[in-house]
mmCIF file of all heavy atoms in Angstrom:
data_model
loop_
_atom_site.group_PDB
_atom_site.id
_atom_site.type_symbol
_atom_site.label_atom_id
_atom_site.label_comp_id
_atom_site.label_asym_id
_atom_site.label_seq_id
_atom_site.Cartn_x
_atom_site.Cartn_y
_atom_site.Cartn_z
ATOM 1 N N SER A 490 107.564 118.266 91.496
ATOM 2 C CA SER A 490 107.348 118.577 90.086
ATOM 3 C C SER A 490 108.694 118.823 89.425
ATOM 4 O O SER A 490 109.613 119.363 90.033
ATOM 5 C CB SER A 490 106.441 119.803 89.944
ATOM 6 O OG SER A 490 106.994 120.895 90.671
ATOM 7 N N GLY A 491 108.795 118.419 88.190
ATOM 8 C CA GLY A 491 110.075 118.512 87.483
ATOM 9 C C GLY A 491 110.840 117.207 87.473
ATOM 10 O O GLY A 491 111.884 117.108 86.828
ATOM 11 N N THR A 492 110.302 116.211 88.197
ATOM 12 C CA THR A 492 110.932 114.893 88.229
ATOM 13 C C THR A 492 109.874 113.827 87.969
ATOM 14 O O THR A 492 108.681 114.090 87.987
ATOM 15 C CB THR A 492 111.608 114.623 89.587
ATOM 16 O OG1 THR A 492 110.601 114.616 90.615
ATOM 17 C CG2 THR A 492 112.640 115.698 89.900
ATOM 18 N N ARG A 493 110.341 112.635 87.736
ATOM 19 C CA ARG A 493 109.452 111.488 87.566
ATOM 20 C C ARG A 493 109.940 110.350 88.440
ATOM 21 O O ARG A 493 111.092 110.323 88.877
ATOM 22 C CB ARG A 493 109.402 111.036 86.106
ATOM 23 C CG ARG A 493 110.728 110.516 85.574
ATOM 24 C CD ARG A 493 110.599 109.948 84.171
ATOM 25 N NE ARG A 493 111.875 109.514 83.647
ATOM 26 C CZ ARG A 493 112.409 108.320 83.872
ATOM 27 N NH1 ARG A 493 111.766 107.445 84.634
ATOM 28 N NH2 ARG A 493 113.573 107.989 83.364
ATOM 29 N N LYS A 494 109.030 109.406 88.690
ATOM 30 C CA LYS A 494 109.371 108.265 89.527
ATOM 31 C C LYS A 494 110.028 107.170 88.684
ATOM 32 O O LYS A 494 109.534 106.829 87.614
ATOM 33 C CB LYS A 494 108.117 107.721 90.216
ATOM 34 C CG LYS A 494 107.474 108.688 91.187
ATOM 35 C CD LYS A 494 106.444 108.012 92.066
ATOM 36 C CE LYS A 494 105.258 107.533 91.290
ATOM 37 N NZ LYS A 494 104.178 107.023 92.168
ATOM 38 N N ALA A 495 111.126 106.648 89.194
ATOM 39 C CA ALA A 495 111.801 105.512 88.574
ATOM 40 C C ALA A 495 111.853 104.398 89.612
ATOM 41 O O ALA A 495 112.537 104.516 90.628
ATOM 42 C CB ALA A 495 113.206 105.901 88.122
ATOM 43 N N VAL A 496 111.095 103.335 89.374
ATOM 44 C CA VAL A 496 110.975 102.251 90.347
ATOM 45 C C VAL A 496 112.325 101.553 90.516
ATOM 46 O O VAL A 496 113.028 101.283 89.543
ATOM 47 C CB VAL A 496 109.903 101.242 89.892
ATOM 48 C CG1 VAL A 496 109.792 100.085 90.879
ATOM 49 C CG2 VAL A 496 108.560 101.934 89.748
ATOM 50 N N ARG A 497 112.669 101.291 91.767
ATOM 51 C CA ARG A 497 113.906 100.576 92.056
ATOM 52 C C ARG A 497 113.740 99.103 91.706
ATOM 53 O O ARG A 497 112.707 98.505 91.998
ATOM 54 C CB ARG A 497 114.264 100.717 93.534
ATOM 55 C CG ARG A 497 114.526 102.152 93.953
ATOM 56 C CD ARG A 497 114.642 102.254 95.459
ATOM 57 N NE ARG A 497 114.745 103.646 95.893
ATOM 58 C CZ ARG A 497 114.612 104.039 97.147
ATOM 59 N NH1 ARG A 497 114.364 103.143 98.094
ATOM 60 N NH2 ARG A 497 114.724 105.323 97.467
ATOM 61 N N ARG A 498 114.762 98.559 91.108
ATOM 62 C CA ARG A 498 114.691 97.172 90.676
ATOM 63 C C ARG A 498 114.543 96.251 91.881
ATOM 64 O O ARG A 498 115.270 96.354 92.861
ATOM 65 C CB ARG A 498 115.951 96.809 89.896
ATOM 66 C CG ARG A 498 115.952 95.385 89.353
ATOM 67 C CD ARG A 498 117.138 95.130 88.454
ATOM 68 N NE ARG A 498 117.098 95.974 87.270
ATOM 69 C CZ ARG A 498 118.035 95.947 86.320
ATOM 70 N NH1 ARG A 498 119.084 95.155 86.444
ATOM 71 N NH2 ARG A 498 117.937 96.747 85.280
ATOM 72 N N GLY A 499 113.578 95.329 91.763
ATOM 73 C CA GLY A 499 113.347 94.370 92.825
ATOM 74 C C GLY A 499 112.568 94.911 93.998
ATOM 75 O O GLY A 499 112.402 94.200 94.997
ATOM 76 N N LYS A 500 112.066 96.140 93.917
ATOM 77 C CA LYS A 500 111.321 96.756 95.009
ATOM 78 C C LYS A 500 109.875 97.002 94.574
ATOM 79 O O LYS A 500 109.567 97.044 93.379
ATOM 80 C CB LYS A 500 111.968 98.087 95.418
ATOM 81 C CG LYS A 500 113.369 97.947 95.991
ATOM 82 C CD LYS A 500 113.344 97.312 97.373
ATOM 83 C CE LYS A 500 114.717 97.289 98.004
ATOM 84 N NZ LYS A 500 114.704 96.716 99.360
ATOM 85 N N PRO A 501 108.957 97.173 95.541
ATOM 86 C CA PRO A 501 107.572 97.521 95.178
ATOM 87 C C PRO A 501 107.514 98.865 94.458
ATOM 88 O O PRO A 501 108.452 99.668 94.509
ATOM 89 C CB PRO A 501 106.857 97.583 96.534
ATOM 90 C CG PRO A 501 107.717 96.789 97.462
ATOM 91 C CD PRO A 501 109.123 96.972 96.984
#
Side-chain angles (χ1 to χ4, degrees):
S490 55
T492 63
R493 64 174 177 85
K494 296 193 294 187
V496 178
R497 298 170 186 167
R498 182 173 297 180
K500 296 289 185 178

